[in-house]
Amino acid sequence: MEIRAATVLPARREPIELHTADGLTLVGELALPPERPPVATLICLHPLPTHGGMMDSHVYKKAANRLPALADLAVLRFNTRGTGSERGTSEGAFDGGEGERFDVAAALEYAEFHDLPNVWLIGWSFGTELVLKWGHDPLVHGAILLSPPLHRAGDADLDAWAAFGRPLTALVPEFDDYLQPPEARTRFARVPQAEVVGVDDAKHLWVGEPYVRIVLDEIVRRVNPAAYPLPTEVADS
């Protein structure tokens, strides 16, 4: 069976709640490998909620639908404050990336309390800003940025990540609306451990199955290289 956009592979999926230090309850989902413990964990920080970003933004939904089964990864998705999806709406209100520091911390606290291993942050667009600004936690093994705009997060945040020392990969679409590969390489040069991967013909929203596959492959290559490259077909169940 070919893996297509709507393919949902087996996983242990459970609704979760995160509790922030400033008193909010956030809704989310944890997807675990169907039969084995995870070898690593992805905490997914979604695009801008004022422009439709949420835990079900398509790349993250497909990650949760595929990576537990194909790469033994735990995938934790959640709605930041004030954001809604099919799972529900998180308490609070959008705060432009500032109050969301507590949301990132709550997700990391959940992962630590539940002994989720080898935690990586995955940020997409607005989510990349949250990674760079608030992701410096000893629990974090590294981060992967999808379509980083480097708008709210600036040079000081890049310098902080450089000092943090954890691996950083930026996947930058050739035709991104905000930051394209040549400028991205210049901006990220101040982070010695950063790698910028330009993706030919891609756009900011990674629409299209070929681009989703590139993103998921690049994530797995760094987080669980033993599972790279991901298969494009699975046995019929």
Side-chain angles (χ1 to χ4, degrees), residues 12-32:
R12 291 174 286 149
R13 297 184 171 88
E14 56 186 271
I16 62 171
E17 291 184 345
L18 309 179
H19 302 283
T20 69
D22 61 339
L24 301 179
T25 297
L26 314 178
V27 299
E29 181 200 82
L30 178 65
L32 296 166

Side-chain angles (χ1 to χ4, degrees), residues 11 18 28 37 43 46 64 73 81 85 94 97 107 126 131 148 152 162 193 215 219 233:
L18 309 179
I43 293 179
H46 59 69
L73 299 182
R81 56 190 56 213
S85 69
F94 174 68
F126 172 69
V131 169
R152 293 172 176 84
Q193 72 274 26
V215 168
I219 289 171
E233 296 186 353

Side-chain angles (χ1 to χ4, degrees), residues 50-137:
T50 54
H51 288 66
M54 57 176 170
M55 61 179 276
D56 286 341
S57 291
H58 77 103
V59 172
Y60 288 164
K61 184 78 169 178
K62 291 164 187 170
N65 285 345
R66 303 179 196 180
L67 297 185
L70 298 180
D72 291 327
L73 299 182
V75 180
L76 192 163
R77 301 174 295 132
F78 69 99
N79 288 327
T80 57
R81 56 190 56 213
T83 303
S85 69
E86 183 178 332
R87 168 72 181 88
T89 300
S90 292
E91 293 178 352
F94 174 68
D95 195 37
E98 294 302 315
E100 284 81 3
R101 73 179 73 185
F102 300 115
D103 305 352
V104 176
L108 290 167
E109 184 179 67
Y110 182 96
E112 183 173 28
F113 184 81
H114 289 85
D115 295 320
L116 296 175
N118 189 17
V119 172
W120 283 69
L121 297 176
I122 312 296
W124 180 5
S125 193
F126 172 69
T128 69
E129 319 270 40
L130 302 185
V131 169
L132 291 171
K133 291 171 74 67
W134 314 122
H136 317 129
D137 186 285

Side-chain angles (χ1 to χ4, degrees), residues 185-221:
R185 293 187 178 98
T186 299
R187 296 286 305 276
F188 280 99
R190 61 196 307 127
V191 184
Q193 72 274 26
E195 176 188 14
V196 174
V197 178
V199 180
D200 291 347
D201 298 323
K203 297 181 180 180
H204 189 76
L205 296 180
W206 304 98
V207 172
E209 180 63 19
Y211 304 110
V212 173
R213 288 182 174 174
I214 289 170
V215 168
L216 298 185
D217 257 340
E218 293 295 333
I219 289 171
V220 169
R221 191 209 295 250

